[in-house]
Amino acid sequence: MDRYLCGSGEAAKVIDGCGRIIRDPNETAEIRALALQNRGFAYQQSGRLDQALADYASALATGPSDRAVKAKIHVNLGLIHARQGDQDRAMSDYADAIALNPDLVSAYVNRAAILMARGEHSRALSDLDQAIRLKPRDAALYLSRGAVHAIVGDHERAIADFTQAIIIDPSNAEARRYRSMAYRAQGKIAEAATDAAEAATLEPNSGDAHQSLGLSLQAAGDAERAIAEFGKAIELNPVNAEAIKARGDSYLAEGDRDRAIADFSQAIRLDPKMVDAYNNRGVAYLGRSQWDDAIADFTTVIALSPERSSAYLNRGEAFEAKRDRIHALPDFDRTIQLDPGVIEAFRQRAFLRSEAGDSRGAIDDYDVVIARTPQDAVALRGRGAARLHLREFDGAVADLTAAIAINPNDALAYRFRSLAYAAKNDNKRAIDDDAAALRLGAVAR
């Protein structure tokens, strides 16, 4: 009877039945080792980890002859050590399990989980490859390996794995959600939406499924339907900060800044470190000309993510809108330091330098803008004005003429060119440009 109870699977009965076997001096070492293993597992399932560890250690010391049994004990030890935060010991346990039984799939899978957490993706993939070779019809294994491929940016392999998981288990909604994410990462929005919709059909009460569909619709530019799907996700899980923030993004895309700000604020209340929510709320505040609120949000973004160049750019623009050049200029400087490819930072800094009387610095910045966007009429006009200030009249005329060719209605360009012509004593052209500027309504800036 005790042997039956020891293998029954009900924790309390297993502990009692196995305990009597362990205490029976007439039982063989092999049977006591199995009883210790079973009781250890019951303790483990009940959360009594110290007792489980003691039983597993005793089981191994008793010396079961079956290497497969020893391997399973080491896997269970690894699970406990991992749960206790001792990953090194867990890794050693899994290695021991594999040495005892190279065909034990759970040892490879559990070791891969630790390797993934450590960022050792190549080694994790190696373990998952081996697990799949041993158990090629297990959809969960393909799902795990696909997730690792997605993390390292190998979306083709990720999609292949998720597809295989779906072939094995067509009702696997999680595989469709993950494949949808991989398709989105590739820019295959239609495929992503199809998978996400299928996942939502398979799991209509899954907030994750509706959120995934919302993200696909959002990527497709269908903000209205995306908002509806995010709403379903939020109804199913009102504290889903990611879904709330994503709905805010769609409201912002629709131009509904009030609802966007409300969603971003709620997401921040749920997750005070959600950088994107602060950033996007700051963008919404910019759109409403609430400069101080925008500055506060972008300052928080910078505190949480100091290398985010867009936050410095946006905060600089808010400072500039307040005519606070002292704070705006360093923000544009920092944007350029972090990402020299942000043309708008050069354009904004050039304007501030011009206003501060640093015409040479302004020209240097406009040079960068024009080199990358040769048809930028505003930059050409700005550089022409800076050259005019430095009395480089021929260069000024050339820039302003190019700006007028691109935008014949640029009154300021005519006005500045008039001044350049006058300085060159080309009075007729100066008069003609003045007339054009007046006709177009030039206002000195």
Side-chain angles (χ1 to χ4, degrees), residues 115 128 137 158 169 173 210 252 254 274 277 312 340 353 365 394 430:
L115 291 167
L128 290 169
R137 296 296 298 170
D169 179 9
H210 289 292
L252 188 58
E254 289 274 88
M274 186 178 282
Y312 291 97
R353 283 177 163 178
D365 279 345
D394 289 338

Side-chain angles (χ1 to χ4, degrees), residues 69-90:
V69 171
K70 291 181 181 179
K72 289 180 180 177
I73 292 173
H74 280 291
V75 167
N76 289 337
L77 284 168
L79 290 169
I80 294 174
H81 288 139
R83 183 174 173 181
Q84 292 178 330
D86 192 344
Q87 292 186 342
D88 289 337
R89 288 188 71 183

Side-chain angles (χ1 to χ4, degrees), residues 294-305:
I295 288 166
D297 272 349
F298 293 131
T299 299
T300 301
V301 173
I302 290 166
L304 294 171
S305 182

Side-chain angles (χ1 to χ4, degrees), residues 375-443:
Q375 296 300 302
D376 190 328
V378 174
L380 284 163
R381 182 230 292 157
R383 189 172 69 178
R387 284 176 166 167
L388 177 64
H389 188 264
L390 290 175
R391 304 183 64 79
E392 297 175 1
F393 302 124
D394 289 338
V397 168
D399 276 346
L400 296 164
T401 300
I404 291 166
I406 295 167
N407 179 13
N409 296 317
D410 188 339
L412 278 174
Y414 283 106
R415 174 59 182 155
F416 290 143
R417 193 173 68 174
S418 168
L419 295 173
Y421 279 139
K424 288 165 58 70
N425 295 317
D426 191 339
N427 295 323
K428 182 179 184 309
R429 285 178 174 160
I431 292 169
D432 289 343
D433 274 357
D434 264 337
L438 289 171
R439 184 176 68 255
L440 292 167
V443 178

Side-chain angles (χ1 to χ4, degrees), residues 40-53 56 74-91 93-94 110 113-114 117:
F41 187 72
Y43 281 140
Q44 184 176 354
Q45 294 299 99
S46 303
R48 298 158 70 177
L49 302 185
D50 288 340
Q51 289 162 291
L53 286 171
Y56 288 144
H74 280 291
V75 167
N76 289 337
L77 284 168
L79 290 169
I80 294 174
H81 288 139
R83 183 174 173 181
Q84 292 178 330
D86 192 344
Q87 292 186 342
D88 289 337
R89 288 188 71 183
M91 290 288 287
D93 288 326
Y94 297 139
N110 292 329
I114 292 178

Side-chain angles (χ1 to χ4, degrees), residues 91 94 98 105-121 123-129 131 144 148:
M91 290 288 287
Y94 297 139
I98 291 167
V105 171
S106 59
Y108 293 103
V109 172
N110 292 329
R111 187 167 69 177
I114 292 178
L115 291 167
M116 286 173 62
R118 289 179 167 183
E120 298 182 50
H121 300 119
R123 291 181 64 196
L125 286 171
S126 179
D127 273 353
L128 290 169
D129 287 346
S144 295
V148 182

Side-chain angles (χ1 to χ4, degrees), residues 291-292 295 298-299 302 311-335 348-349 352:
W291 312 124
D292 289 334
I295 288 166
F298 293 131
T299 299
I302 290 166
Y312 291 97
L313 176 67
N314 289 330
R315 190 174 69 174
E317 290 179 346
F319 278 129
E320 184 178 356
K322 290 183 64 178
R323 311 302 293 167
D324 184 348
R325 298 168 192 157
I326 292 175
H327 288 97
L329 190 57
D331 272 351
F332 296 137
D333 288 340
R334 184 62 176 149
T335 304
Q348 297 284 359
R349 190 172 70 176
L352 290 182

